């Protein structure tokens, strides 16, 4: 009788350990997969447009949906190129931006 109780406790402990290990592995696998998945270009363009709209209306926008490899000093990543046009002081002004394809971070923005 005592032997069966010990076996039951051992099985419960092993099951708990395996469940916990599965949860931890799932967490790290999810982080790894999210880090290596590119954000769609339209999502990044929407974010940039939202930031520009906070300052005033925009006339047009575009983004290249093909990822381009970028190496700048020690930074190696894939990027999207895009642009925004707006009216400033009665003139059409255009801006271009470079955004990281994996994080959506704007790496550079400049006026043309």
């Amino acid at each position: 009788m005592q032997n069966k109780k010990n076996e039951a406790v051992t099985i419960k402990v092993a099951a708990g350990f395996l469940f916990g290990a599965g949860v931890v592995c799932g967490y790290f696998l999810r982080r790894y997969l999210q880090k290596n998945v590119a954000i769609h270009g339209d999502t990044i363009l929407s974010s940039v447009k939202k930031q520009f709209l906070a300052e005033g209306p925009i006339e047009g926008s575009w983004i290249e949906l093909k990822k381009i490899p970028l190496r700048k000093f020690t930074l190696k990543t894939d990027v999207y190129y895009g642009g925004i046009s707006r009216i400033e002081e009665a003139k059409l002004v255009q801006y271009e931006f470079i955004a990281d394809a994996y994080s959506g971070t704007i790496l550079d923005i400049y006026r043309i």
Side-chain angles (χ1 to χ4, degrees):
M1 187 73 171
Q2 184 68 19
N3 194 17
K4 286 188 177 186
K5 284 185 179 180
N6 287 343
E7 285 179 21
V9 169
T10 303
I11 289 172
K12 287 180 183 179
V13 168
F17 176 76
L18 289 174
F19 177 76
V23 169
V24 170
C25 287
Y27 171 77
F28 285 109
L29 181 63
R30 180 174 173 253
R31 284 189 57 185
Y32 173 76
L33 291 175
Q34 279 184 335
K35 191 186 323 183
N36 294 325
V37 174
I39 299 172
H40 195 273
D42 288 333
T43 306
I44 294 172
L45 181 60
S46 295
S47 173
V48 173
K49 284 170 57 174
K50 187 177 180 181
Q51 292 172 17
F52 268 84
L53 283 170
E55 294 182 10
I58 60 175
E59 294 295 312
S61 62
W62 62 273
I63 192 162
E64 272 188 46
L65 295 178
K66 181 180 176 189
K67 295 181 292 209
I68 309 292
L70 174 75
R71 181 174 180 176
K72 191 171 190 177
F73 305 112
T74 61
L75 174 70
K76 294 179 189 175
T77 188
D78 293 330
V79 297
Y80 292 115
Y81 286 91
I84 301 282
S85 59
R86 67 185 316 155
I87 303 287
E88 293 180 359
E89 299 175 4
K91 292 182 183 177
L92 184 66
V93 179
Q94 294 182 343
Y95 294 90
E96 285 190 355
F97 63 87
I98 302 171
D100 187 296
Y102 300 103
S103 68
T105 304
I106 304 301
L107 301 176
D108 196 7
I109 191 164
Y110 45 92
R111 187 175 179 171
I112 299 177

